[in-house]
Every structure is written in structure tokens, then in C-alpha cells.
Amino acid sequence: MLISNSHLWLTALVVTVTILLWASARLPEFITALLFFAAAMMLHIAPAASVFGGFASSAFWLVLSGFILGVAIRKVGLADRLAHALVPRLSVSWPRMVGGTIVISYLLAFVMPSNMGRIALLMPVIGALAKQAGIKEGSRGWVGLALAVGFGTFQLSASILPANVPNLVMSGAAETTYHLHLGYMPWLFLQAPVVGILKGVILTLCICWLFPARPEAVTHNARLPALSGEEWRLIILLLLTLILWMTDSQHGISPAWIGLCAACFCLLPRVGFISSEAFASGVNFRTCLYVAAILGVTAVVVDSGLGNIIAQALLSITPLDPATPFVNFVSLSALTSALNFVVTANGVPAMFTPMAQSFATASGFPLGSVIMLQVLAYATPLLPYQASPIVLAMGLGNVSARDGLRLCLLVALVSIVLLLPLYYGWFRLLGYL
């Protein structure tokens, strides 16, 4: 179906204003989300199924169930118990506390596929850890640890094929479009040194610089009381949830619906852990609306054809020449980053991958290399809204949009200056270019 130019311009206007309001934080993010829903429906820029498609997305339900599981973990005391075990080892220094948090978030990605689920499990534990180390809620140190969970979980997990939604979108698009299968170990060997390990080091240094703190070194002499019946029930529930998350490729049930079932159990009378009052006060519906709107914007851009027009326009001005491989590499990375503004991280590989053959022909790069080089770019958002797991972590940690934006920009700048040349060199060393 052909779409008129006036309709496309109207769609572009609504999307642009929405993104600018999120980027500038001129309004609370949930108000901008509601304004997007209202404007999109009043101006008929897309069907309701696209505009409100975020509410049907697995990401939305993972966010909601993540909040509920987080409330349960805090309420029954499991967060304090796990923090009690970690705090003597991590409270020695601030870099060790930040680095330890990032390492834990990265290691968990190897066994648990869902970014949202990992954040839901980690955030209450790290919050309890901060309190036991004398870092007050809302302080700079608290903000730094919350962002360490969000950024460490999303950005570093891009180096592990099944641990990140954009990775799975890219893998599926490559297989559907080119019958190209992306393997677990080749992906890990290509991406982990730069996107995983070096990115983790840079993230640790950036957080320590932007959000300095002095944790109190803790040594525990007293032993904790035995696990209560409520704690045992929650441990069993979390283990079952984790096992089902880890085996989702075998049973075919989305992590979102597994998380939703676990969240429902937490809310049941008598056997559950959360009262109606605790649910109302502990679940951040502002962030849920925000995530739904992010996904809605992406759907509107893709379904309206605006995303394809933008991608083709960017391709026409992208300097690609087989004689200048480093310029080609930087240009394609910049193109991916530009798409990230419009369709966010989950949508980038869906837009970029089908056009990869054109990019490969113009640049002289192998097709597989063009597909794989987009990982660092979509794993390095310039603005928080581009990565919904980061938005969730900010919501759980009550982190302001300004603080999230500062860390996004700093990590992106350092990644461009330091990591992008190393990423290019690693591709060449392994024979991908």
C-alpha cells in the first residue's frame, strides 16, 4: 500500500518530537510516552496495533514481571542475604565494587538469556549490597551501581549470541535473508575481547569517574539466621524460572511468559510474597509505559516505511570505497548508530541486515563481516531510550534521565575513540576484512 508524502512527513514529525523529548528530558519520560500514544492515534499515523504494539511485546511483559520479581526478592530478604555474602569481597574499594557488579552481570549472561530477567534478579541484590556498604539510596554511588547493572547487562551481553535480543534479531535476519548461520563460538571469539572484556573495563572506569563513592569496608562475624520457609519458596521459584529461561530454545516458551507466570505466583494470596499495597508501590508503571512507547515508536517507523526511507537515505550519503577499508568500517558503524536513534537497538539489525549485501558490494567487505560489525554500534547507545534494558535498570534504581544520558554519552565517546579502532584491528587479525 502506498503511503502519501504528507502522511510520511506527519509520521516523521511525531517520531522526531518524541525522540527529542526523550533525549532532552524536557518532560518526564512517561508523559512523553503518553503524548506519543495520543498524537499517533489522533493524527492516524499508524494503526492501533502498531502504536500500542509495545504492550503485546515480550519486552514489556519482561519489564513488568521483572519489577514484581524484584519486589519479591527484596521483601522476603533474599536480596539482603545475597548481598551479605558479596559485600566483604566487593566493599574493599569503589572500583572493585563497580567492577565486581559488571563482572557478575556479564557472567550471568552466559547462563540466562533475558536481559530484563537478569536485571530483575540483580538490581535488588546490588541495592542491598550498596546499603550494607554505607552507600545511601539516591547518592552518586547508588546511581553508579544501578547503571553498572543496566549497562553491564545490556552492552556486554551483545558479545554472547543468545544473551541479547538484537543479537537474536540479527541472527534470524541473516538466516532468513541470506541463509547464513551465525555460530555461538565464532560469535563469542569475534565479539568478546572488545565488546565484552574491553567494554567492561571502559564501563568500570567511566562509572568510577562520573559517580565516585567511598564504600565502607565490611567484615561479617555474625552468621545469618537459617532460611525461612518463605525464602525457600522464593528460591525454588527463582530456580525453576532460571532453568526455564536457560532452556527456552528446547521448550519454545518465551522468557517473557515464563517471567509472567513467576510474577503471578508472587502475587497469589497465601502462597505468594507480595501484597496488593506492595505491588502498587513497588512496580514502576512509569517505566513500563516508557518501554511500551519505545517499542511503539519502533513499530510505527518500520511499518510506515519511514525506517527504510531513512536507511536508504543514509546509505546514499555513506562513503564506501574498497580502497579505504578503515573509512568503510567507521562509516558502516556510524550508519548503524544513526539507525539506533530511529528504531532503537532491537530494530537496528532488522533494518541493517537485509541491506548488508549492498553495503558489502560497495565496501568490498565479505557479507558476514558487514553483518557482524554492527554489534559494537547497537550495543553502544548514545541515549538511554535506545536500549530498553537500560531504561528498566534506571527505573528500578530511580536513576534520573540526566545521569543515564551522561554515562551513555561518555561510554559512547570513549568507545568511538578507543574501541572502534581496536574492533577494526581485531576483525582484520581474524581475517574478517
Side-chain angles (χ1 to χ4, degrees):
M1 183 176 67
L2 295 175
I3 301 174
S4 67
N5 286 335
S6 60
H7 188 273
L8 273 177
W9 278 110
L10 193 58
T11 303
L13 177 63
V14 172
V15 169
T16 301
V17 171
T18 302
I19 290 173
L20 287 176
L21 286 173
W22 278 334
S24 63
R26 300 295 295 176
L27 290 173
E29 69 287 343
F30 75 100
I31 294 180
T32 300
L34 292 173
L35 287 173
F36 163 72
F37 291 136
M41 295 310 297
M42 290 292 291
L43 299 174
H44 302 289
I45 65 171
S50 294
V51 176
F52 297 107
F55 291 102
S57 167
S58 60
F60 172 83
W61 293 102
L62 273 171
V63 170
L64 181 59
S65 58
F67 274 115
I68 295 170
L69 289 173
V71 172
I73 292 169
R74 285 193 301 271
K75 184 174 180 296
V76 304
L78 271 186
D80 289 327
R81 188 178 289 273
L82 289 171
H84 185 87
L86 291 172
V87 71
R89 298 170 176 81
L90 299 185
S91 63
V92 175
S93 69
W94 181 234
R96 187 165 179 172
M97 183 171 276
V98 173
T101 299
I102 290 171
V103 167
I104 291 169
S105 71
Y106 188 37
L107 293 178
L108 193 57
F110 282 93
V111 297
M112 188 174 174
S114 166
N115 276 328
M116 303 294 195
R118 293 196 299 275
I119 290 172
L121 290 179
L122 275 179
M123 190 62 79
V125 175
I126 298 303
L129 175 72
K131 288 181 180 178
Q132 291 186 25
I135 297 173
K136 296 180 180 179
E137 186 169 353
S139 66
R140 305 305 294 159
W142 178 280
V143 169
L145 287 177
L147 291 174
V149 173
F151 279 70
T153 296
F154 173 75
Q155 297 200 355
L156 307 192
S157 67
S159 65
I160 306 165
L161 177 55
N164 190 297
V165 171
N167 292 359
L168 297 176
V169 172
M170 188 173 98
S171 176
E175 195 155 350
T176 301
T177 309
Y178 307 109
H179 305 290
L180 181 64
H181 177 70
L182 304 178
Y184 182 97
M185 288 308 297
W187 183 296
L188 185 67
F189 195 62
L190 178 63
Q191 305 293 348
V194 176
V195 180
I197 297 169
L198 291 179
K199 189 71 167 293
V201 173
I202 285 175
L203 186 55
T204 300
L205 295 174
C206 288
I207 290 175
C208 288
W209 183 61
L210 279 181
F211 308 102
R214 289 187 178 181
E216 298 171 2
V218 178
T219 55
H220 289 308
N221 296 319
R223 299 184 65 179
L224 289 174
L227 288 164
S228 66
E230 194 174 46
E231 286 176 305
W232 273 117
R233 287 205 316 277
L234 182 55
I235 288 172
I236 293 170
L237 175 67
L238 292 175
L239 285 175
L240 287 173
T241 304
L242 183 57
I243 290 169
L244 289 171
W245 272 337
M246 291 169 60
T247 57
D248 65 332
S249 60
Q250 279 73 48
H251 54 66
I253 303 174
S254 168
W257 316 137
I258 297 166
L260 183 59
C261 289
C264 289
F265 184 89
C266 291
L267 295 168
L268 290 174
R270 297 196 180 98
V271 296
F273 316 100
I274 303 173
S275 66
S276 299
E277 293 76 17
F279 172 77
S281 61
V283 176
N284 189 339
F285 287 103
R286 293 173 46 155
T287 301
C288 295
L289 281 173
Y290 183 18
V291 171
I294 290 171
L295 299 170
V297 167
T298 302
V300 167
V301 169
V302 173
D303 293 349
S304 67
L306 181 62
N308 190 55
I309 291 172
I310 293 171
Q312 294 295 339
L314 290 171
L315 175 60
S316 68
I317 61 173
T318 302
L320 296 175
D321 185 342
T324 56
F326 181 68
V327 173
N328 293 342
F329 195 89
V330 172
S331 298
L332 291 172
S333 297
L335 174 63
T336 309
S337 295
L339 287 175
N340 210 353
F341 278 95
V342 184
V343 292
T344 70
N346 289 354
V348 166
M351 297 296 302
F352 184 96
T353 306
M355 298 187 294
Q357 186 61 66
S358 300
F359 300 146
T361 302
S363 65
F365 290 164
L367 173 63
S369 302
V370 172
I371 291 173
M372 294 293 277
L373 67 78
Q374 62 184 302
V375 174
L376 178 62
Y378 68 58
T380 310
L382 289 169
L383 301 172
Y385 82 89
Q386 295 172 348
S388 51
I390 292 176
V391 172
L392 172 61
M394 291 171 62
L396 286 169
N398 293 317
V399 176
S400 70
R402 191 177 302 277
D403 285 330
L405 175 60
R406 288 174 65 206
L407 183 59
C408 265
L409 292 175
L410 179 61
V411 171
L413 176 62
V414 176
S415 296
I416 291 167
V417 174
L418 296 181
L419 289 191
L420 191 57
L422 293 173
Y423 199 47
Y424 170 76
W426 186 243
F427 267 69
R428 286 191 69 88
L429 184 65
L430 296 183
Y432 279 80
L433 299 177

